[in-house]
Amino acid sequence: MKSRTPRSPFPAVTLRAPRLTLRPVADADAPALFAIFSDRDVMRYWSRPPMADPEEAVALVRDIQAGCARGEALQLAVERNGEGRAIGTCTLFHFHRASRRAELGYALARPHWGQGLMHEALTRLVGYAFGELGLNRLEADIDPRNAASARSLARLGFRKEGTLRERWIVGDEVSDSDLYGLLRTEWPPR
Ligand SMILES: CC(C)(COP(=O)(O)OP(=O)(O)OC[C@H]1O[C@@H](n2cnc3c(N)ncnc32)[C@H](O)[C@@H]1OP(=O)(O)O)[C@@H](O)C(=O)NCCC(=O)NCCS
């Protein structure tokens, strides 16, 4: 079967959900992304320390745009419909074209947690990944202590497939990873 996994570059994709829009990251998103990725609560279980300098967010925007242009990663800004300000990001990255798989990542600004928003955003992005992008498998790598993230994955139908010991060292902290997987045949969850 012919793979529909995108070659470079990604199309400028915009995905709509009931309360949210997922759209390409723009230069003007840097301050909003700095607010998200400098927050210690958001970054508690992240693979890098919180940002300390707004210039890091400017560099992140450049990296996101370059990754999209090269077809390596699709990182979309999440905004509430009609509000225009990024409140989070959702990402497909680590594409393996021949195996039609990619990894899923996500972060939401602290004031917006607990309203089912990331579930809504990820439902849309996972549907796009298995639909338009033709992927066969999605993976997620999370800190075993990240209960909200584990719950978000479980709600989407992801299964925990194993634990990788001492996989990350961020600052002084060494942490394990739980690896989750979701197959196209398991989507949508029953
Ligand atoms: C993970 C994250 C995106 C979830 O976003 P959210 O919009 O609040 O998630 P939702 O409201 O869609 O659902 C979260 C689920 O986790 C549950 N949850 C939230 N906080 C929790 C906690 N501390 N312990 C256990 N469960 C928790 C909620 O009850 C909900 O479960 P439910 O659907 O059964 O009610 C958000 O917490 C976040 O950005 N965290 C920081 C970044 C991060 O860790 N990203 C993942 C890295 S792999």
Side-chain angles (χ1 to χ4, degrees), residues 19 36 41-46 104-110 112-120 122 140-143 145-153 155:
R19 289 175 293 171
I36 296 167
D41 288 338
V42 172
M43 301 299 277
R44 175 69 187 91
Y45 302 117
W46 207 252
L104 182 66
Y106 39 88
L108 191 66
R110 181 74 188 85
H112 302 275
W113 289 6
Q115 300 165 48
L117 289 174
M118 192 48 84
H119 180 69
E120 195 173 306
L122 294 178
D141 159 357
I142 75 166
D143 189 308
R145 298 167 296 177
N146 194 347
S149 186
R151 181 70 203 128
S152 297
L153 292 172
R155 257 184 97 183

